[in-house]
Amino acid sequence: MDEFDKKDLYLPQYLSSLEKDVLRKELASFPTDGTKNTIYTSALDGVNYLLQGDGIDEMPYVNLPELKIGKVPGILFSNTCDMSTENKRVNPCRIMFAPLIDFSKYSQMVYANCDKAKAESHLNDLKRQYITQALYLPKGAKLKNDSIVFFDRAISLPLTEELVEEFSKRKIFTLSNFGFYLFLLKISIHFTRIQEKIDRATGEDLGQAV
């Protein structure tokens, strides 16, 4: 079994054979085509519920330690099922999200703080999805500008029916099968990196071993 065939083990099993073929081709072309607006779908426009990876406009956000509440576009991290108000729980859920940052504004900041070569390398790595702590999102759907999200900027809000109804009306985008797979892959690498190379039983740093 070659490396390409192994990818099938990780494809969503609920997709039809045709949908899997489309996703397989998009994944295969990613190294040369990069991130394109094929990561969005219009098939779920107008639905009155929230999905993991949805982009929402004007979300209340606090950039701690600052206490001022601002309004930002954001992307939802929480699992789709966890954001359903039909799932009643003893411990109420919260909606986790992180702000979307305008890529051009971020680029200006990078160029202002780094030499040209380093800045260009960093920005190109973001677009190629090489930076594990971030996801690059090209403009598309109702997202007017190329944007990035840094996973370590996440906060949460209490889940209520009113909030779901309000956010559903302010959707910027919904991820396609390819976009959702890419999103899950990036957050999995960031939050569940099992190869930290620390033996927690002995305290040995195996990454330093020769």
Side-chain angles (χ1 to χ4, degrees), residues 75-92:
I75 185 170
L76 304 179
F77 283 2
S78 296
N79 185 279
T80 299
C81 293
D82 288 341
M83 292 187 291
S84 172
T85 55
E86 295 179 0
N87 293 333
K88 304 302 180 182
R89 295 176 174 83
V90 174
N91 181 35

Side-chain angles (χ1 to χ4, degrees), residues 193-206:
R193 200 174 309 169
I194 60 174
Q195 67 272 32
E196 64 176 12
K197 297 182 180 179
I198 301 293
D199 186 338
R200 294 179 179 234
T202 64
E204 182 182 4
D205 185 349
L206 301 177

Side-chain angles (χ1 to χ4, degrees), residues 174-190:
T174 291
L175 297 176
S176 65
N177 287 328
F178 169 59
F180 185 51
Y181 188 88
L182 177 63
F183 175 69
L184 292 182
L185 180 63
K186 292 297 296 281
I187 62 175
S188 295
I189 291 172
H190 179 73

Side-chain angles (χ1 to χ4, degrees), residues 19-151:
E19 290 167 336
K20 282 186 181 179
D21 286 341
V22 172
L23 177 55
R24 199 177 287 114
K25 290 177 181 177
E26 289 172 330
L27 291 171
S29 65
F30 176 75
T32 53
D33 291 349
T35 308
K36 293 186 175 180
N37 62 6
T38 52
I39 68 172
Y40 308 117
T41 180
S42 59
L44 291 158
D45 287 356
V47 299
N48 59 353
Y49 53 86
L50 303 176
L51 296 101
Q52 188 174 33
D54 274 353
I56 310 294
D57 201 11
E58 297 185 352
M59 302 186 75
Y61 184 75
V62 176
N63 185 26
L64 296 173
E66 298 176 13
L67 299 179
K68 180 181 178 180
I69 299 177
K71 296 281 188 176
V72 301
I75 185 170
L76 304 179
F77 283 2
S78 296
N79 185 279
T80 299
C81 293
D82 288 341
M83 292 187 291
S84 172
T85 55
E86 295 179 0
N87 293 333
K88 304 302 180 182
R89 295 176 174 83
V90 174
N91 181 35
C93 284
R94 295 177 68 92
I95 295 178
M96 182 180 293
F97 73 96
L100 295 171
I101 301 171
D102 185 286
F103 188 76
S104 63
K105 293 181 180 178
Y106 178 76
S107 299
Q108 292 173 13
M109 183 197 71
V110 172
Y111 277 112
N113 290 280
C114 303
D115 63 70
K116 184 178 180 181
K118 185 175 182 179
E120 289 181 349
S121 175
H122 173 71
L123 295 173
N124 285 333
D125 283 348
L126 277 171
K127 284 191 170 184
R128 293 170 181 158
Q129 306 293 3
Y130 290 171
I131 306 294
T132 58
Q133 73 175 122
L135 176 71
Y136 167 76
L137 294 163
K139 65 179 181 180
K142 294 181 181 179
L143 184 64
K144 296 180 180 179
N145 302 304
D146 293 353
S147 302
I148 50 174
V149 55
F150 288 100
F151 302 138

